[in-house]
Amino acid sequence: MLKTRVITALALMAVLLPSLFWLPQMAWAWLIAAFIGVGAWEWGALLGWKHHQRVLLGVVTAALCALLAWSEPAAIGADGFAPAQTWVFLFYGLSALFWLLLIPFWLRGKWALHGASGLLVGAVVLLPTWLAMVQLRAVGPAVLLAVFAVVWMADIAAYFAGRRFGKRKLAPGISPGKTWEGAYGAILGVLVYGLVIGHFFMAGVSLPLWVAALLLVTAVSIIGDLFESMLKRKAGIKDSSNVLPGHGGVLDRIDSLTSTLPVAALAWLLFFYRG
């Protein structure tokens, strides 16, 4: 299993890292559209859809993202860069409201996905994620990697803090392995990381605002992880798919990013963008 995980991780890095730094912006948008299309195909499994319905959902989702990129090149940085457009704020605003206001109640109620509402939730989860991955890359590959690293740091710090100090379960009915001590470890790890790299990204931003942004991103990364864990438990599946041997599916790899990236992109537009 470990060998399989390592091989898959190396293969992903061999594709994504060169693409992140060297692909033209439109090509990057289309690559991520395909990636999100696979995530949509997996979302169909959470809805209990049949194979052909899932394939259709994946194709339509990827095509919609690609069409948005083609029709709005300035918004994604493929023709100039004008990210602060009304529809962009709508995407990110709906995502932020979903993760910050609705999902805490969803996790408490352990609601299941159903029909058209489940399809709408999938759109709110996946489409802003695609847009954020494209726009933040247009700001700079290092910026997108920095947001990724926040999520990775939160996961790593939560794991080790939970193993060493974990006693109180965070959400035993959803993810029994997660603890409050792990969550506190994630917060501490992200704060340390954020303050270390802050001098690269904090130009013109006050320290309290920067710390608040780090805390917000950490909180939503934990929420995103819990949400996908709950959906898989409701659907009776361990992994969203097996397209990434040793790692599960695309949704398993981006569960925290679906909540973190749109909120980070919205925060960047509101507080850091100087357009």
Side-chain angles (χ1 to χ4, degrees):
M1 176 62 76
L2 178 60
K3 180 180 179 181
T4 302
R5 287 178 65 90
V6 170
I7 292 173
T8 301
L10 291 175
L12 284 173
M13 295 285 280
V15 172
L16 289 177
L17 279 181
S19 300
L20 177 64
F21 286 97
W22 294 316
L23 269 186
Q25 185 66 9
M26 184 64 74
W28 171 259
W30 289 343
L31 175 65
I32 301 304
F35 188 71
I36 292 298
V38 176
W41 170 74
E42 294 173 349
W43 190 266
L46 299 178
L47 294 173
W49 284 13
K50 296 179 180 179
H51 176 70
H52 69 278
Q53 295 172 309
R54 295 172 57 196
V55 171
L56 180 61
L57 180 60
V59 170
V60 169
T61 301
L64 178 58
C65 292
L67 180 62
L68 276 171
W70 176 78
S71 62
E72 298 285 351
I76 66 163
D79 183 12
F81 193 30
Q85 300 188 25
T86 301
W87 70 273
V88 171
F89 280 107
L90 177 63
F91 268 41
Y92 292 151
L94 286 174
S95 179
L97 290 174
F98 175 78
W99 290 111
L100 297 175
L101 297 183
L102 179 59
I103 288 304
F105 293 101
W106 196 314
L107 293 174
R108 178 175 295 181
K110 298 182 178 65
W111 305 332
L113 291 173
H114 294 292
S117 62
L119 191 60
L120 179 61
V121 169
V124 173
V125 169
L126 294 174
L127 296 182
T129 301
W130 166 80
L131 180 62
M133 288 187 72
V134 175
Q135 282 199 331
L136 290 175
R137 193 261 192 170
V139 179
V143 173
L144 182 57
L145 278 177
V147 179
F148 285 169
V150 168
V151 175
W152 298 334
M153 176 59 72
D155 286 345
I156 293 169
Y159 175 78
F160 284 107
R163 287 201 60 177
R164 177 64 179 84
F165 304 107
K167 294 181 179 179
R168 295 176 298 155
K169 300 297 184 181
L170 179 63
I174 297 174
S175 186
K178 291 181 173 58
T179 63
W180 280 104
E181 291 78 10
Y184 298 145
I187 292 171
L188 179 60
V190 169
L191 285 176
V192 171
Y193 164 76
L195 292 174
V196 168
I197 69 165
H199 65 281
F200 294 110
F201 301 101
M202 280 180 59
V205 179
S206 68
L207 179 61
L209 180 58
W210 182 249
V211 170
L214 292 172
L215 293 175
L216 177 63
V217 168
T218 307
V220 295
S221 75
I222 295 171
I223 289 172
D225 190 358
L226 288 174
F227 182 59
E228 206 233 346
S229 295
M230 187 201 69
L231 294 183
K232 289 190 295 185
R233 185 175 289 267
K234 285 285 184 181
I237 57 178
K238 182 178 183 294
D239 296 318
S240 57
S241 77
N242 60 356
V243 297
L244 302 174
H247 292 267
V250 167
L251 290 179
D252 297 318
R253 295 302 92 211
I254 66 169
D255 49 6
S256 296
L257 292 172
T258 58
S259 57
T260 305
L261 283 169
V263 172
L266 179 61
W268 170 72
L269 278 175
L270 292 176
F271 303 112
F272 299 90
Y273 177 58
R274 300 290 184 264

